[in-house]
Amino acid sequence: MNGTHPVGTLLPSESELAAHYRAARGTVRQAIAVLVAEGLVGSRQGARRIVLGTTRSQSFAELHSFAQWARANGYRFGGQVISQRRRAARGVESARLSCPAVLEVMRVRTLEGEPVLLERTVYADWIAPAVEALPGDCESVTQALFDSVGLIFAYGEHLIDAVAAGAQDSRLLTVRRGSPLLRQRRITTTNEGRPVEWSDDRYRAGSVAFSIRNSIGANPLGRQLAF
Amino acid sequence: MNGTHPVGTLLPSESELAAHYRAARGTVRQAIAVLVAEGLVGSRQGARRIVLGTTRSQSFAELHSFAQWARANGYRFGGQVISQRRRAARGVESARLSCPAVLEVMRVRTLEGEPVLLERTVYADWIAPAVEALPGDCESVTQALFDSVGLIFAYGEHLIDAVAAGAQDSRLLTVRRGSPLLRQRRITTTNEGRPVEWSDDRYRAGSVAFSIRNSIGANPLGRQLAF
DNA sequence: GGGCTGTTCTTGTCTGGACAAGTTTTCTAT
DNA sequence: ATAGAAAACTTGTCCAGACAAGAACAGCCC
């Protein structure tokens, strides 16, 4: 896989790969399917596969963990908790997080010394103690929660839009009021479907951009199995 | 599948489904894998699968076709070409689209009568004739190009950030200068990896938001097959 | 009752084979 | 030489079976 097939070249056929690695064709297909889904390999029935790209995007991690994204790109980064308090869940929160009480945390993240991200996160009560135990300047909350209680963020739903900076936003991100911010609202759950956090993250314009890669891919359900 | 299993309930086991639909377990797995990848079904080795959601997001199509997104959500929508001209590719364009000449099109899209999206799209020369043949108020370019020349947008790479509205932006979207816009820059290719278009789309704030759903999912490569 | 152990169930992974559908190449007839 | 038909190849889909790893459950002993 890492044999770095140059972009534009044809991949060996499945049977060749299977023979070479002494694996069944289905196994090879499964491995290649990931690359096809990521858009790194083009695939058409009947024709050899073609290499479209070589850099694998770890979109999930990047979309979830500021620290992991920054580290992967070689940036200096930091974080600081601005405020943190427990309160009752209001409005949609109790429904989304399915718990009555929450922990509200506001964090500012810096990149190369400059504040670029303002996080307003609401954690479900069952994870609140672990979050409160973290230091105020914790670099990676995702990593810390995994280390301390084995929590894994497995699913995320993200809503991305643009908003004008409000009074608090402008002060903490050191931008003028009304200047554009990239807002990412997300809810994250464990692989059991248990909601963990609900967050409103605001990025300073020009500092970062979301990179998303998608592909039609094969969607082999719905037709043959009419459940 | 559409039997609408309520959220939170357990799915039948693979063997039960296989027996019920008279299919092999592998086939059932393949179908369910799509739901797991979309985050609609939670899956842990050893435990029954749990239903996490019921609404399937057609994220790819939505990310590509304004018309399809609007229609799916029941909005009235329209579009109008503002300017259209052929010119030589400049700067990064020739590299990204891998062709010397391009067709530059500027479109305004409306939702419920209001302008919400300004598209600045650059098409590769080999698709330009088909684009020029479209009417100025073509509703869905994606659909029209599929109908006329069988073109399928298979892969996309998107860069999403926030910018302040410039002079032209503010005039065409009827917003004040400097107000926040959600910008989506994307490059789209066919399933052969052939670049089709490179576009800079700017959405009025508050009008739309991108919805992205992601999951860690199973990534069954890299370990067992050390290519 | 509480904790432990072993059984049973379910999912994850892999094998080897088969056929269908589409592409590419080769061969043949004109 | 060229156009069309045939063959070879490649991917897409499915099947039936096997074993491993983890989860859920029942029963046991203390």
Side-chain angles (χ1 to χ4, degrees), chain A residues 1 154 158 160 210 212 214 227, chain B residues 1 60 158 160 210 212 227:
Chain A
M1 212 61 97
H158 310 258
I160 297 174
F210 289 112
I212 296 164
N214 62 357
F227 278 19
Chain B
M1 213 62 98
F60 182 81
H158 310 257
I160 295 173
F210 289 111
I212 297 163
F227 279 19

Side-chain angles (χ1 to χ4, degrees), chain B residues 15 44 67-68 71 83 89 102 109 140 159 174 176 180 182-183 196 208 219:
Chain B
S15 1
R44 296 143 62 206
Q68 277 173 37
R71 191 177 296 136
S83 72
V102 298
R109 304 292 200 120
S140 174
L159 221 52
T174 64
R176 277 210 305 280
L182 183 63
R183 178 170 67 168
V196 181
V208 295
N219 197 323

Side-chain angles (χ1 to χ4, degrees), chain B residues 31-65:
Chain B
I32 295 179
V34 179
L35 301 179
V36 173
E38 289 186 25
L40 295 180
V41 170
S43 195
R44 296 143 62 206
Q45 183 172 352
R48 275 278 180 88
R49 282 190 250 261
I50 189 170
V51 179
L52 302 179
T54 54
T55 56
R56 298 208 34 208
S57 69
Q58 40 170 340
S59 62
F60 182 81
E62 290 175 7
L63 223 45
H64 268 278
S65 173

Side-chain angles (χ1 to χ4, degrees), chain A residues 1-3 17 21 23 27-28 30-32 34-44 50 52 56 59-61 63-64 152-165 178-183 185 189-194 203 205-206 208-222 224-227, chain B residues 1-3 17 21 23 27-28 30-32 34-44 50 52 56 59-61 63-64 152-165 178-183 185 189-194 203 205-206 208-222 224-227:
Chain A
M1 212 61 97
N2 300 328
L17 288 172
Y21 296 104
T27 312
V28 172
Q30 204 175 352
I32 295 180
V34 179
L35 301 180
V36 173
E38 288 186 26
L40 295 180
V41 170
S43 194
R44 295 145 60 209
I50 188 171
L52 301 179
R56 299 209 33 208
S59 62
F60 183 82
L63 219 47
H64 268 274
I152 294 179
F153 294 88
Y155 298 109
E157 211 170 316
H158 310 258
L159 222 52
I160 297 174
D161 60 359
V163 294
S179 65
L181 298 179
L182 184 63
R183 177 171 67 169
R185 285 170 295 178
T189 68
T190 67
N191 63 351
E192 294 157 334
R194 200 175 183 191
Y203 294 83
V208 296
F210 289 112
S211 171
I212 296 164
R213 199 182 281 167
N214 62 357
S215 65
I216 282 192
N219 195 323
L221 101 151
Q224 52 271 14
L225 282 178
F227 278 19
Chain B
M1 213 62 98
N2 299 328
L17 287 172
Y21 295 102
T27 311
V28 172
Q30 205 175 351
I32 295 179
V34 179
L35 301 179
V36 173
E38 289 186 25
L40 295 180
V41 170
S43 195
R44 296 143 62 206
I50 189 170
L52 302 179
R56 298 208 34 208
S59 62
F60 182 81
L63 223 45
H64 268 278
I152 294 178
F153 295 88
Y155 298 109
E157 212 169 317
H158 310 257
L159 221 52
I160 295 173
D161 59 359
V163 295
S179 66
L181 298 178
L182 183 63
R183 178 170 67 168
R185 286 170 294 178
T189 69
T190 68
N191 62 352
E192 293 157 329
R194 200 175 183 192
Y203 294 83
V208 295
F210 289 111
S211 170
I212 297 163
R213 198 182 278 169
N214 61 358
S215 63
I216 284 192
N219 197 323
L221 100 152
Q224 53 270 18
L225 284 178
F227 279 19

Side-chain angles (χ1 to χ4, degrees), chain B:
Chain B
M1 213 62 98
N2 299 328
T4 55
H5 299 268
V7 174
T9 57
L10 297 176
L11 232 52
S13 74
E14 293 179 359
S15 1
E16 283 168 10
L17 287 172
H20 189 281
Y21 295 102
R22 231 127 346 161
R25 195 167 76 99
T27 311
V28 172
R29 283 186 63 76
Q30 205 175 351
I32 295 179
V34 179
L35 301 179
V36 173
E38 289 186 25
L40 295 180
V41 170
S43 195
R44 296 143 62 206
Q45 183 172 352
R48 275 278 180 88
R49 282 190 250 261
I50 189 170
V51 179
L52 302 179
T54 54
T55 56
R56 298 208 34 208
S57 69
Q58 40 170 340
S59 62
F60 182 81
E62 290 175 7
L63 223 45
H64 268 278
S65 173
F66 179 79
Q68 277 173 37
W69 170 80
R71 191 177 296 136
N73 290 50
Y75 292 118
R76 276 191 309 115
F77 63 96
Q80 186 59 51
V81 170
I82 301 294
S83 72
Q84 175 169 320
R85 66 195 183 89
R86 282 180 186 255
R87 60 170 173 77
R90 24 170 209 256
V92 292
E93 292 169 0
S94 57
R96 286 201 177 256
L97 292 176
S98 58
C99 68
V102 298
L103 174 66
E104 183 190 80
V105 179
M106 192 154 73
R107 278 193 208 88
V108 169
R109 304 292 200 120
T110 60
L111 210 57
E112 302 291 335
E114 298 225 344
V116 296
L117 166 58
L118 177 59
E119 284 182 359
R120 285 182 247 258
T121 311
V122 172
Y123 293 93
D125 53 3
W126 59 273
I127 195 68
V131 176
E132 287 172 326
L134 301 178
D137 61 346
C138 177
E139 282 191 346
S140 174
V141 177
T142 309
Q143 186 65 43
L145 289 179
F146 174 73
D147 293 339
S148 62
V149 294
L151 180 71
I152 294 178
F153 295 88
Y155 298 109
E157 212 169 317
H158 310 257
L159 221 52
I160 295 173
D161 59 359
V163 295
Q168 195 176 39
D169 300 333
S170 63
R171 195 175 64 248
L172 291 169
L173 291 177
T174 64
V175 296
R176 277 210 305 280
R177 264 197 52 203
S179 66
L181 298 178
L182 183 63
R183 178 170 67 168
Q184 173 195 22
R185 286 170 294 178
R186 67 160 188 271
I187 184 157
T188 315
T189 69
T190 68
N191 62 352
E192 293 157 329
R194 200 175 183 192
V196 181
E197 57 165 16
W198 160 251
S199 190
D200 179 313
D201 298 354
R202 301 184 181 200
Y203 294 83
R204 224 162 78 167
S207 59
V208 295
F210 289 111
S211 170
I212 297 163
R213 198 182 278 169
N214 61 358
S215 63
I216 284 192
N219 197 323
L221 100 152
R223 279 165 296 123
Q224 53 270 18
L225 284 178
F227 279 19

Side-chain angles (χ1 to χ4, degrees), chain A residues 63-110:
Chain A
L63 219 47
H64 268 274
S65 172
F66 179 79
Q68 277 175 37
W69 169 81
R71 192 176 296 135
N73 291 48
Y75 292 118
R76 277 190 308 115
F77 63 97
Q80 186 59 52
V81 169
I82 302 295
S83 72
Q84 176 169 319
R85 66 194 182 90
R86 282 180 187 254
R87 59 169 174 78
R90 8 171 223 259
V92 293
E93 293 169 0
S94 57
R96 285 201 178 257
L97 293 175
S98 58
C99 69
V102 299
L103 174 66
E104 183 189 82
V105 179
M106 193 154 72
R107 277 192 208 90
V108 170
R109 304 293 201 116
T110 61

